[in-house]
Amino acid sequence: MAVLPMKRVMILGLRKDRKAILESLQRLQTVEFEKDSALPADDPVFSFKDTSDAKALFEKNGALAASALEILNTYSPEKSGLADSFKGRTVINTAEYEKNVAMRDKIMETAKRLNALNKELVDAKAEIPKTEAQMEALSPWTSMDAPLSFKGTKKTRAFIGSFPEALDEATIVGTIESHSPDITGLDVSVISSSDEQTCVMILCLKEDRDAVEEALRRMNFARAPVSDAVPKEELDNLKKHYAETNAQIERLQGQIASYDKERSNLKFLQDYFTMRSDKYDIISKLTVSKRVFIIRGWVPAAEAGRIARLMSNYKDAVVEFTDPLPSDDVPIVLKNNPFSTPVEGVVSDYSLPGPGEIDPTVPVSCFYYILFGMMLSDAAYGLIMVIATGILLSKFKNMETGMRKILRMFFFCGFGTIISGILFGSYFGDMIPVVTKTFFGNEITPWCWIDPLKDPLKMLLVSFTIGIVHLYVGLAILFYTDIKNGKPLDALYDVVFWYMLVTGLIVVGLHEKIVYGIVGLTAPLGNDTSVLIGTVVALVGAVGIILTGGRESKNPFKRLMKGAYALYNVTGYLSDLLSYSRLLALGLATTVISQVFNKLGSMAGGGIAGAILFIIVALVGHSINFGINALGAYVHSNRLTFVEFFGKFYNGGGRAFLPFSMNTKYFKVKEDY
């Protein structure tokens, strides 16, 4: 378990080398840049460069490339499956990178062309519903031989429109005359009629137009859409336009799909502008003059050699490494063995080690796999986890680091689950005895150390024992940390006294029936002498806690009261210990649900039909049980780590190391130094 030592780095170079140096450092991903906050704003030589405009331009170009790629994926989807999500980014060398960079203008034209084609396509698609609506509006008027804009002759006035119901000519004439009895001449022609509307052309003398219009208004008359063309001719034109628009859509989709071979180039273009944008964000942190630039930041001490070899390629550049000062906010990088590295994510999810703290990854990993295994506690489920994660890890060598850590963590959790499953005799629950009894008539029960269903108190005792060891290891780490930081008295006050109190109480408790009965013991552990020793040890620990728990206070009374309050925290130890009963609870949940599905599957008895039913129920049921309880085991393993274990010794608060890197989506460039 280790927090890597860090060094400050200062690189000074000529501005003509800035682009090449920054791109190499970005590919190395080992330098965290830091702005020189001590530089005066009015410094006559050095200053900071405003890169916001350039950064915005690169972000815009990156968005254009991403949009082009999305358009291409819409009309020519990339063939991919679930397994592709484990592939990771494609690795290219610097020669391939430079080759693609040289083509960026050409690729950019492709991206612009795809966006332009998509704009045409969007416009064409918008034309379809519009044309359909126009065609639908004209369809009732196709038998009319005059344009809908016809307003009448020199002496007549025409009204072209519709009523919202089915009407015949006589009804219309009669209704109009009833509303306007003084009308002298009226001609009504029904163009079309349906239950929903009646389309008509009404002619009247010009002098009657106001009276007719008023009558039509009372009849909810709606004017037809204005068009200077004859409806049938207009409809034919719209149909032709509709067909041409559909053909245009098909042609544009084909044109977009024809750029399928440019997909990789577009991915590179998007990544390239992302890298450029990130680089210009970094440039804003550089101290620059007319001819030189200065980089300040952090590197892991182990990477200093690679940085020095890289900078040796630039004869005018200077690199300098120095140790951090006590007042520096040093970023944190963890480095652990292959067994423990997978749970670094669990530690960082809580918080990275703060100043003076050790990296807790190794002890966390040792307990994490055990806790997870006990909560899932099925050998078959564990075997599935080991096989599935093992295949993925071996097949996808280029997997991203974060995903690889997660899969490796579940790989080791799978082993913990297998061991727990064997100890508790669970293989898909009780599938072995159920199958052998139902289909072969001879029940076979596998060996187990503890059957949690038949002996839950023994299982509870095991859970509490693991909990006590877990908490004691946490206190031991606090003891080590205090000694390492030159605080031996703190180690005595905050660890040894608590060891004495809690251990003494456990020894005394195991002699009391109310305690040993809970954990399934039929007789007390120890004798009167052990009780006496336990009592004395616990009292010494309690007195020590009372006298030292408030030692930061100068007032004796306040110090004593704070010490008494610190002693009250013994109830917190009891609470922490009870939390480990979840090892029993979640293990039982996995087992019981498995047995329920096995019971349901075997209800049809033996035979082919029974076997088919059993297989179907087992596949569905155990998939659900595995998913739910694996998630539960993950959540509660984190809970026991964060609350109970870290609560004894760990505060965190460290700052993560954020190197200048390639935050790309599809490619990563390998730098050979």
Side-chain angles (χ1 to χ4, degrees):
M1 50 184 176
V3 177
L4 286 184
M6 303 293 289
K7 282 188 175 293
R8 277 192 171 279
V9 60
M10 191 277 290
I11 298 173
L12 188 147
L14 297 179
R15 290 190 67 166
K16 66 182 179 63
D17 296 327
R18 188 184 66 186
K19 180 176 183 293
I21 290 175
L22 286 179
E23 289 185 354
S24 293
L25 291 177
Q26 188 176 27
R27 293 192 286 266
L28 275 182
Q29 305 184 84
T30 55
V31 179
E32 179 183 289
F33 284 64
E34 187 178 66
K35 198 168 185 175
D36 185 4
S37 56
L39 182 71
D42 57 349
D43 190 279
V45 179
F46 290 101
S47 63
F48 298 112
K49 184 177 179 181
D50 182 7
T51 60
S52 56
D53 290 342
K55 181 176 167 62
L57 176 63
F58 292 133
E59 288 176 344
K60 179 183 176 185
N61 288 342
L64 185 71
S67 173
L69 192 58
E70 185 179 350
I71 292 165
L72 183 60
N73 287 335
T74 300
Y75 299 103
S76 179
E78 185 176 19
K79 294 178 181 176
S80 62
L82 180 62
D84 292 324
S85 59
F86 298 100
K87 280 184 176 178
R89 291 172 292 175
T90 303
V91 179
I92 59 175
N93 56 38
T94 52
E96 292 172 303
Y97 172 79
E98 295 298 340
K99 180 183 175 183
N100 287 334
V101 169
M103 297 169 56
R104 67 182 183 278
D105 291 340
K106 183 181 175 183
I107 306 172
M108 195 65 189
E109 289 303 317
T110 301
K112 289 179 180 177
R113 177 60 182 155
L114 278 168
N115 278 280
L117 287 172
N118 186 61
K119 185 175 183 307
E120 286 185 52
L121 184 58
V122 169
D123 292 342
K125 284 186 174 180
E127 195 69 18
I128 292 296
K130 178 183 172 184
T131 307
E132 287 176 341
Q134 291 174 327
M135 290 165 61
E136 185 178 356
L138 278 174
S139 59
W141 302 94
T142 51
S143 60
M144 186 173 169
D145 55 3
L148 293 177
S149 58
F150 178 67
K151 294 183 179 178
T153 62
K154 187 176 179 180
K155 295 184 178 180
T156 64
R157 178 72 170 93
F159 295 91
I160 301 174
S162 61
F163 297 103
E165 57 186 328
L167 298 171
D168 56 27
E169 292 177 358
T171 304
I172 295 170
V173 171
T175 306
I176 293 174
E177 288 178 347
S178 67
H179 289 305
S180 303
D182 296 334
I183 295 174
T184 55
L186 189 68
D187 179 73
V188 176
S189 299
V190 175
I191 308 302
S192 65
S193 181
S194 66
D195 293 339
E196 290 76 26
Q197 70 172 0
T198 300
C199 298
V200 297
M201 183 174 77
I202 301 171
L203 285 173
C204 66
L205 294 175
K206 268 197 170 178
E207 54 267 29
D208 294 333
R209 62 183 178 187
D210 293 339
V212 172
E213 188 165 9
E214 174 59 22
L216 292 176
R217 187 184 63 77
R218 294 184 181 184
M219 295 170 68
N220 296 322
F221 178 78
R223 293 186 183 276
V226 176
S227 172
D228 293 333
V230 175
K232 187 173 185 314
E233 295 175 357
E234 180 71 9
L235 185 61
D236 290 341
N237 290 334
L238 286 173
K239 287 180 178 178
K240 183 180 178 183
H241 177 66
Y242 184 80
E244 290 174 347
T245 305
N246 274 317
Q248 183 190 12
I249 291 172
E250 196 171 329
R251 176 177 55 79
L252 289 170
Q253 289 177 341
Q255 283 184 302
I256 292 174
S258 68
Y259 284 91
D260 184 72
K261 59 182 180 301
E262 297 291 330
R263 191 188 309 277
S264 179
N265 288 335
L266 291 169
K267 289 180 177 178
F268 176 82
L269 190 69
Q270 181 181 343
D271 282 354
Y272 171 74
F273 282 117
T274 300
M275 292 170 65
R276 292 294 303 271
S277 174
D278 290 346
K279 192 177 76 174
Y280 271 74
D281 191 33
I282 287 297
I283 288 175
S284 67
K285 297 181 179 179
L286 303 184
T287 307
V288 296
S289 69
K290 190 174 181 181
R291 291 187 174 82
V292 301
F293 69 94
I294 301 174
I295 294 172
R296 298 180 191 277
W298 296 94
V299 296
E303 297 290 336
R306 294 179 73 200
I307 302 295
R309 285 195 295 276
L310 168 66
M311 299 314 301
S312 66
N313 294 327
Y314 305 93
K315 62 179 182 180
D316 296 316
V318 176
V319 59
E320 180 182 275
F321 300 99
T322 55
D323 292 326
L325 300 172
S327 58
D328 284 335
D329 183 16
V330 183
I332 301 296
V333 182
L334 303 180
K335 178 72 174 178
N336 290 282
N337 60 63
F339 179 75
S340 300
T341 297
V343 299
E344 285 179 354
V346 175
V347 175
S348 61
D349 282 347
Y350 182 83
S351 183
L352 290 168
E357 290 185 322
I358 66 169
D359 174 15
T361 303
V362 170
V364 167
S365 64
C366 293
F367 283 99
Y368 196 90
Y369 303 139
I370 295 172
L371 299 175
F372 186 98
M374 286 191 66
M375 285 188 265
L376 193 55
S377 67
D378 189 286
Y381 290 175
L383 186 62
I384 290 172
M385 289 178 63
V386 170
I387 293 174
T389 54
I391 290 174
L392 291 173
L393 287 168
S394 60
K395 185 175 181 180
F396 300 103
K397 301 291 186 185
N398 194 36
M399 187 183 296
E400 296 297 326
T401 303
M403 178 62 75
R404 179 169 292 278
K405 281 186 177 181
I406 291 173
L407 290 181
R408 286 178 63 191
M409 184 182 80
F410 285 112
F411 179 77
F412 290 121
C413 285
F415 279 107
T417 306
I418 290 174
I419 294 171
S420 295
I422 293 173
L423 291 175
F424 306 142
S426 181
Y427 305 83
F428 291 118
D430 60 347
M431 183 178 284
I432 292 177
V434 169
V435 169
T436 53
K437 181 180 179 181
T438 304
F439 298 100
F440 303 100
N442 183 24
E443 181 176 327
I444 297 175
T445 303
W447 171 86
C448 70
W449 175 48
I450 300 174
D451 184 341
L453 289 177
K454 294 179 180 176
D455 201 353
L457 290 180
K458 190 175 181 181
M459 185 66 194
L460 185 63
L461 177 61
V462 172
S463 301
F464 284 159
T465 303
I466 291 175
I468 291 170
V469 174
H470 202 200
L471 297 177
Y472 273 32
V473 169
L475 285 173
I477 296 174
L478 178 61
F479 183 86
Y480 172 79
T481 304
D482 285 340
I483 296 297
K484 176 173 170 281
N485 292 330
K487 300 176 180 177
L489 290 179
D490 285 354
L492 173 65
Y493 301 154
D494 297 333
V495 179
V496 176
F497 285 153
W498 278 107
Y499 269 140
M500 296 174 69
L501 175 62
V502 176
T503 306
L505 290 177
I506 291 173
V507 171
V508 174
L510 289 176
H511 200 265
E512 297 296 327
K513 186 176 182 180
I514 191 171
V515 176
Y516 68 72
I518 290 175
V519 296
L521 299 176
T522 55
L525 288 179
N527 49 34
D528 293 342
T529 303
S530 64
V531 172
L532 178 61
I533 294 173
T535 303
V536 171
V537 170
L539 285 174
V540 171
V543 172
I545 292 169
I546 293 173
L547 295 177
T548 63
R551 58 186 180 277
E552 71 278 3
S553 296
K554 294 182 179 179
N555 185 309
F557 179 74
K558 187 183 289 186
R559 185 186 307 168
L560 200 61
M561 293 306 293
K562 283 187 175 181
Y565 182 74
L567 180 64
Y568 179 72
N569 191 38
V570 71
T571 58
Y573 277 82
L574 177 62
S575 173
D576 290 343
L577 188 58
L578 291 175
S579 286
Y580 289 86
S581 62
R582 70 190 67 219
L583 297 176
L584 165 67
L586 270 78
L588 280 178
T590 306
T591 304
V592 170
I593 295 173
S594 294
Q595 293 189 4
V596 168
F597 284 118
N598 292 337
K599 183 70 176 177
L600 288 173
S602 63
M603 290 181 73
I608 296 176
I612 293 173
L613 175 65
F614 188 88
I615 291 171
I616 294 174
V617 172
L619 281 175
V620 175
H622 285 288
S623 296
I624 296 172
N625 191 31
F626 175 76
I628 292 174
N629 285 290
L631 177 62
Y634 170 73
V635 171
H636 288 280
S637 297
N638 284 356
R639 146 77 202 220
L640 289 175
T641 301
F642 292 165
V643 179
E644 279 74 20
F645 188 54
F646 283 169
K648 296 293 167 286
F649 69 97
Y650 192 63
N651 293 315
R655 181 173 69 84
F657 176 63
L658 299 174
F660 179 35
S661 59
M662 293 177 288
N663 298 313
T664 52
K665 190 174 181 181
Y666 302 105
F667 294 94
K668 54 183 175 183
V669 187
K670 184 180 179 184
E671 187 75 50
D672 298 321
Y673 285 103

